Amino acid sequence: MEIKSTEPKEPREKGIHFIHQIIEDDNKTGKFEQRVHTRFPPEPNGYLHIGHAKSICLNFGTAAKYGGLTNLRFDDTNPTTEDTEYVDSIRDDIRWLGFSWDDREYYASDYFEQLYAWAVELIRKGKAYVCDMSAEEMSANRGNPSVPGKESPSRNRSVKESLDLFEGMRKGEFKEGEKTLRAKIDMASPNMHMRDPVMYRIMHAHHHRTGDKWCIYPMYDYAHGQCDSIEKITHSICTLEFEVHRPLYDWFVKELGIYAPQQIEFARLNLSYTVMSKRKLLQLVKENYVNGWDDPRMPTICGLRRRGYTPESLRNFAEIIGVAKRDNVIDVALLEHCVREDLNKRAFRVMAVLNPVKLVIDNYPEDTVEMLDAINNPEDPEMGTRQIPFSKEIYIEKDDFMENPSKKYYRLSPGAEVRLRYAYFVKCTHVVKDSDGEITEIHCTLDPASRGGNSPDGRKVQGTIHWVSATKGEQAEVRLYDRLFVKENPDDAEEGKDFKDYLNADSLKLITAVVEPYLKDADTNMKYQFERIGYFCFDKDSSTEKLVFNRTVTLKDSWTKQATK
Ligand code: ATP
Ligand code: MG
């Protein structure tokens, strides 16, 4: 698959994408009487990821655009992998993204009785039969796209016999795998999905909603289209792999003579340096490669939320990438770009020093703490100002000092003068080192006339650096996250390896930083920019005893650079 170089664009108004075009055409012809009714149909067998977010934005966004409705439907046809924990998390994630399904929350399991009745109807019409083959026999007799399959010996049993056996299946008279109900279509069809697909299998399993009422469960392919039909969905939007299933869905609806929705397929979202399959994400969680579903390195919606991503940035990302008809991979740098753009508007600026070294101002009084004004967000004057304490000893970043500076180094070095953000001009006089030659203190003098960081006489300084008072600052744990994988496409593993062999060993670094005291009682829901470093948010582990921050994203935007190359 090719990496798609989608230029970051403003959401398009003209030039609508093909799904909206189909809807507009249907509205013109009156195919659905101008109704637009979509659904988001997750299987409650895992947490939602950013691919689902794309689908959620598309389904809810499309309905909103055309004055329609969207249902939330849990496709809960497989009791062994499903759980109410997942149902709850899915609800939370959709709400957090900013969408509402009002009271239209449905479950495939709500329709089990109807689906059963329809199955009986198909048997009566001679369109379905109970089959005695095991799963192995069935796959051995399926053939392949160029070789027709062999018909099951059960295929021609009488309607009466199939009806009795199907009832017996429901009553629990058979063991798992002993019998199935199959559609009677065409064992020679070039479409493998039409070769007498299984409609029902026996599972003596407890279902999270229907309990032990059923021991036969409909296959997804038998249930999905009929669920859409029952809910009078107009446009059933799904990912490309279901294109080959469409003839089967249409067949069921036609044979049953029920309302027919229109299925439309689009390419699923793939992101570079990310895996997206729920099975793989579950493996990362179960085998402790990450710390749970909401680990901030996970592409899950709850992981991205904990990482500090905003719903607005995800919605904007979904809009910018648009919908494609062919599989492609979106550069994760574009997602990060969308996050930065949004955080730039809303983040509260603060100062934090991640790799501190002490700076002592020799001409400043020992016990004085002075409060200086700082701007909370230069992008948004309404966010106001705050005061930050300044003192004789402060911390600056180790990186902001060089004893032997290179030519283009504009920050602090012996004899050089810089601006301390919102504070003063300071000039370095000398440094103190320990026995290993490590700098332990940088000594400076300040110019009292430069208070507030303003030049007293028009003289210029080359650099402005951030700082935190050594006596008034707070310690904080900062979690620096990086991409979870080192390979662009971790799914494409070399022979003998799998995606886990490409995990990034440096995807999490823990450091102790010093942050300005404002953060001790600050709003934990707010997004922050640590000036000159990146965007950060409070982690759920943070408390007044121990501040904990997650790095959401660095300031450096590799996307813009790439897009303008
Ligand atoms: P996975 O492949 O990750 O296990 P899934 O398709 O089995 O996902 P579902 O719960 O069935 O997960 O998905 C619910 C809806 O989300 C479906 O309509 C599906 O097409 C859509 N969806 C899932 N993954 C993506 C993706 N990567 N991009 C866009 N839509 C997706
Ligand atoms: Mg699925």
Side-chain angles (χ1 to χ4, degrees):
M1 270 185 274
E2 212 182 301
I3 298 269
K4 203 179 150 192
S5 57
T6 321
E7 298 275 325
K9 292 186 209 105
E10 288 307 310
R12 285 164 301 182
E13 201 32 66
K14 296 189 294 256
I16 53 167
H17 60 66
F18 76 97
I19 296 181
H20 290 170
Q21 191 59 61
I22 292 172
I23 291 175
E24 295 196 2
D25 292 347
D26 288 346
N27 282 347
K28 265 186 216 131
T29 61
K31 179 170 176 188
F32 296 105
E33 288 132 359
Q34 274 73 39
R35 275 188 325 116
V36 175
H37 202 146
T38 60
R39 84 287 172 266
F40 175 65
E43 212 182 318
N45 62 354
Y47 282 68
L48 298 183
H49 52 58
I50 182 147
H52 296 113
K54 165 73 210 172
S55 173
I56 292 166
C57 291
L58 181 58
N59 278 294
F60 283 89
T62 296
K65 179 173 166 135
Y66 295 102
L69 299 169
T70 306
N71 294 356
L72 169 59
R73 181 192 328 125
F74 291 99
D75 258 321
D76 55 349
T77 50
N78 189 358
T80 57
T81 55
E82 293 158 7
D83 199 278
T84 47
E85 174 197 347
Y86 300 131
V87 170
D88 293 339
S89 75
I90 289 169
R91 287 199 197 108
D92 288 348
D93 288 347
I94 302 173
R95 277 196 210 106
W96 177 78
L97 274 173
F99 298 107
S100 166
W101 56 97
D102 303 320
D103 57 353
R104 292 178 309 282
E105 179 172 309
Y106 303 111
Y107 294 79
S109 56
D110 294 343
Y111 311 133
F112 279 176
E113 206 62 65
Q114 172 69 74
L115 291 167
Y116 180 84
W118 276 333
V120 169
E121 193 180 323
L122 288 175
I123 301 173
R124 286 222 167 88
K125 281 182 73 179
K127 297 291 178 181
Y129 61 97
V130 171
C131 180
D132 302 338
M133 279 183 162
S134 67
E136 295 73 42
E137 286 172 305
M138 235 184 270
S139 76
N141 285 287
R142 268 183 95 209
N144 64 47
S146 48
V147 177
K150 283 204 201 80
E151 292 186 356
S152 162
S154 314
R155 200 175 202 259
N156 293 316
R157 68 176 15 139
S158 70
V159 166
K160 167 91 180 53
E161 196 184 357
S162 275
L163 283 173
D164 290 347
L165 289 169
F166 190 47
E167 201 182 328
M169 281 167 67
R170 178 177 184 167
K171 285 187 179 150
E173 289 167 10
F174 303 104
K175 289 201 283 290
E176 286 189 13
E178 228 178 310
K179 303 235 178 300
T180 56
L181 182 73
R182 295 175 74 178
K184 198 187 220 175
I185 310 181
D186 179 6
M187 285 307 288
S189 171
N191 182 341
M192 300 295 286
H193 298 284
M194 301 297 274
R195 293 190 183 175
D196 291 12
V198 172
M199 293 163 58
Y200 272 88
R201 75 270 207 222
I202 298 168
M203 285 175 108
H204 293 281
H206 186 83
H207 186 282
H208 70 108
R209 296 192 88 233
T210 57
D212 297 313
K213 182 168 180 209
W214 294 90
C215 60
I216 55 171
Y217 290 93
M219 299 299 289
Y220 180 86
D221 274 358
Y222 174 63
H224 191 79
Q226 279 82 281
C227 292
D228 281 345
S229 175
I230 293 170
E231 294 175 14
K232 296 280 188 296
I233 299 304
T234 56
H235 301 88
S236 172
I237 303 170
C238 65
T239 41
L240 278 183
E241 68 272 24
F242 292 103
E243 192 171 7
V244 285
H245 298 239
R246 178 156 31 101
L248 177 58
Y249 299 164
D250 291 347
W251 186 88
F252 283 128
V253 159
K254 186 169 141 274
E255 292 300 333
L256 291 168
I258 56 178
Y259 167 86
Q262 173 66 55
Q263 175 169 304
I264 310 171
E265 304 87 10
F266 74 103
R268 61 171 49 227
L269 167 65
N270 297 301
L271 267 187
S272 61
Y273 299 98
T274 311
V275 297
M276 209 93 92
S277 121
K278 275 192 266 190
R279 186 179 53 79
K280 289 179 180 168
L281 297 177
L282 181 66
Q283 209 179 335
L284 293 176
V285 173
K286 287 260 149 83
E287 295 171 20
N288 297 313
Y289 290 99
V290 294
N291 305 313
W293 285 100
D294 70 346
D295 186 301
R297 292 166 291 182
M298 290 280 273
T300 48
I301 297 180
C302 55
L304 298 174
R305 173 163 71 229
R306 187 170 172 192
R307 175 96 174 236
Y309 283 31
T310 57
E312 292 82 359
S313 60
L314 295 183
R315 293 202 302 262
N316 190 35
F317 172 69
E319 179 79 34
I320 285 175
I321 58 176
V323 285
K325 282 190 196 181
R326 277 179 205 289
D327 279 322
N328 60 66
V329 182
I330 302 288
D331 192 331
V332 71
L334 175 58
L335 173 62
E336 291 163 354
H337 168 82
C338 292
V339 173
R340 277 187 198 97
E341 278 211 316
D342 185 54
L343 291 178
N344 180 45
K345 283 180 256 160
R346 69 177 70 243
F348 196 105
R349 271 57 169 177
V350 290
M351 293 203 282
V353 177
L354 299 199
N355 189 15
V357 58
K358 195 170 271 184
L359 186 150
V360 183
I361 299 160
D362 291 317
N363 63 340
Y364 198 81
E366 192 88 38
D367 300 321
T368 301
V369 174
E370 184 179 3
M371 299 307 287
L372 299 167
D373 288 328
I375 294 167
N376 293 334
N377 185 352
E379 299 285 321
D380 182 3
E382 295 210 342
M383 284 172 78
T385 60
R386 72 186 181 287
Q387 294 215 301
I388 34 178
F390 184 76
S391 54
K392 183 180 181 75
E393 296 196 347
I394 61 174
Y395 288 113
I396 65 165
E397 299 285 351
K398 274 192 184 140
D399 270 5
D400 282 339
F401 180 82
M402 254 181 122
E403 200 173 9
N404 301 301
S406 52
K407 246 204 182 127
K408 288 215 164 142
Y409 190 79
Y410 298 128
R411 289 166 278 165
L412 202 57
S413 58
E417 188 173 45
V418 293
R419 175 190 290 107
L420 295 174
R421 181 94 159 133
Y422 299 125
Y424 291 99
F425 283 13
V426 293
K427 190 178 236 173
C428 173
T429 52
H430 63 285
V431 297
V432 175
K433 295 182 184 175
D434 64 14
S435 54
D436 298 329
E438 278 279 320
I439 295 173
T440 53
E441 285 178 2
I442 300 165
H443 284 257
C444 289
T445 50
L446 67 68
D447 179 352
S450 62
R451 189 173 192 275
N454 304 310
S455 177
D457 49 10
R459 107 178 161 261
K460 291 214 166 71
V461 285
Q462 296 268 32
T464 298
I465 65 175
H466 61 273
W467 54 274
V468 171
S469 162
T471 43
K472 294 287 169 188
E474 290 286 333
Q475 285 212 339
E477 176 177 308
V478 175
R479 301 175 181 175
L480 301 175
Y481 295 104
D482 201 346
R483 288 168 188 171
L484 190 51
F485 293 94
V486 290
K487 190 172 166 28
E488 201 163 274
N489 181 2
D491 291 321
D492 177 28
E494 282 163 53
E495 190 71 38
K497 292 192 170 183
D498 81 355
F499 71 105
K500 299 192 295 305
D501 291 308
Y502 304 104
L503 281 161
N504 177 6
D506 296 321
S507 61
L508 170 58
K509 265 192 229 131
L510 290 186
I511 58 165
T512 303
V514 211
V515 301
E516 64 173 89
Y518 173 84
L519 287 169
K520 192 159 164 68
D521 305 302
D523 180 354
T524 51
N525 294 313
M526 183 71 116
K527 310 296 175 200
Y528 295 91
Q529 185 192 96
F530 291 180
E531 292 213 32
R532 300 177 61 226
I533 300 174
Y535 293 100
F536 291 78
C537 67
F538 280 95
D539 187 72
K540 67 175 187 189
D541 294 341
S542 193
S543 68
T544 40
E545 279 77 57
K546 187 186 176 197
L547 297 176
V548 182
F549 291 95
N550 294 323
R551 179 169 72 196
T552 308
V553 68
T554 56
L555 282 186
K556 201 166 132 231
D557 193 334
S558 60
W559 176 258
T560 317
K561 209 169 80 208
Q562 197 173 304
T564 54
K565 233 197 291 199

